[in-house]
Amino acid sequence: MRDYSAIQTGSPLTATPNDTLYDFIVPDEYAGMRLDQILVKLLPQYSRSRLQEWVVQQQVLVNGAPSLSKEKLWGGEALSVNPVSHPAEQPYIAQDIELDIVYEDEALIVINKPVGLVVHPGSGNWEGTLLNALLHYCPQLNDVPRAGIVHRLDKDTSGLMVVAKTLISQTALVRQLQERTVKREYLALVWGELTRGGLVDADIDRHPSNRVKMAVVEGGKPALTHYAIERSYPSCTLVRCRLETGRTHQIRVHMAHLKHPLIGDAVYIQGGQKCVPYLRTLLNGFPRQALHATRLALLHPLTEELMEWHVAMPEDMQQLLRELQREVKEFENKP
């Protein structure tokens, strides 16, 4: 049994880890509270569900013995917490896949994801994903759920993603996403000529008849997308979208809901789009949804410093816009 005689009464601000353990004396002001409630106060850097999991795994000891989450404590008890590594959900393999690292420190990695890279292994894509690449690049991510991935981009969407390198960082980033303090902006080329920006406030859920698609569904999960015009062209518009929420396919679904689906989005384009004849071949020939995550801003999970990153559109979108401008100019200069 551990010797708790030298441990001083702690508080959430003064408790420090002893090797791999956190040791506390439960403060008197927490008398009458449940163990799980006390743990949340003493270790706010971890999620409630993670703390409860450690209680079940008997990694939380009260006076040297396992306890239950619902047990009430009365102050003065010696509390020991062993923040065990998260067991891998599945034995995913590490693969040497090139990553475009925009920023990295001890807490997080910011990646510029290329077009065509699947984020997480799943049906039909068990290898060759961002997760496989992360496990090779940073083996410590084996101990973090989902290899530190806290949000996703579709396979054919490019741009910025943040990955947590530790469980504490992951918990902090997930909380920021839930509190909508992470700022994410995208550039999208959409069908049609928008005349002004706006806000789409429309719930999203699985399509009622096509389960591989999402749709605007009354009573679904709240979804908010701000959009503004970046550049206007005949038959299409480059827009900047800012997410408040992060639903699956949110921008694609919301822009289709406005009758302005993304160029190249075979899933959410219904029927042919109106287009001036001289641009029809160019716009219809773009092989993926024209969507890029261009800006990411968040509070650093350790320092709480506001950090921000920007990346330019990938070459295929830039080439599409160059060709679009050239075709428009040639058409306007025709005698």
Side-chain angles (χ1 to χ4, degrees), residues 154-185:
D154 298 331
K155 174 184 177 182
D156 289 330
T157 298
S158 57
L160 290 166
M161 290 183 59
V162 62
V163 176
K165 292 177 71 174
T166 68
L167 185 56
I168 291 175
S169 296
Q170 187 180 52
T171 302
L173 291 172
V174 169
R175 284 174 178 165
Q176 287 190 55
L177 287 164
Q178 293 170 341
E179 295 167 0
R180 303 182 184 179
T181 58
V182 177
K183 306 302 181 185
R184 290 170 289 170
E185 292 185 1

Side-chain angles (χ1 to χ4, degrees), residues 76-117:
E77 296 92 343
L79 192 61
S80 177
V81 182
N82 179 20
V84 293
S85 300
H86 183 85
E89 297 98 333
Q90 187 167 328
Y92 299 122
I93 63 171
Q95 293 181 294
D96 187 3
I97 300 169
E98 183 178 358
L99 292 172
D100 183 358
I101 307 294
V102 176
Y103 175 84
E104 181 179 6
D105 62 22
E106 72 277 13
L108 53 81
I109 306 171
V110 177
I111 292 168
N112 183 16
K113 188 189 86 67
V115 174
L117 181 63

Side-chain angles (χ1 to χ4, degrees), residues 272-327:
Q273 302 297 308
K274 292 183 180 179
C275 184
V276 294
Y278 70 94
L279 292 179
R280 186 172 294 124
T281 299
L282 175 63
L283 295 179
N284 282 329
F286 196 67
R288 67 170 180 101
Q289 66 264 12
L291 183 62
H292 172 69
T294 190
R295 173 179 176 261
L296 175 68
L298 51 83
L299 297 178
H300 191 277
L302 299 184
T303 67
E304 298 189 351
E305 174 189 0
L306 178 61
M307 306 191 73
E308 184 171 329
W309 301 273
H310 299 257
V311 290
M313 289 182 290
E315 178 58 27
D316 64 344
M317 281 187 69
Q318 294 192 46
Q319 180 65 22
L320 174 62
L321 294 182
R322 287 194 293 266
E323 293 181 7
L324 185 57
Q325 291 170 329
R326 185 179 68 247
E327 293 284 349

Side-chain angles (χ1 to χ4, degrees), residues 25 76 82 101 124 194 199 209 234 251 254:
I25 296 297
N82 179 20
I101 307 294
L194 286 164
L199 168 67
S209 59
I251 292 174
H254 273 173

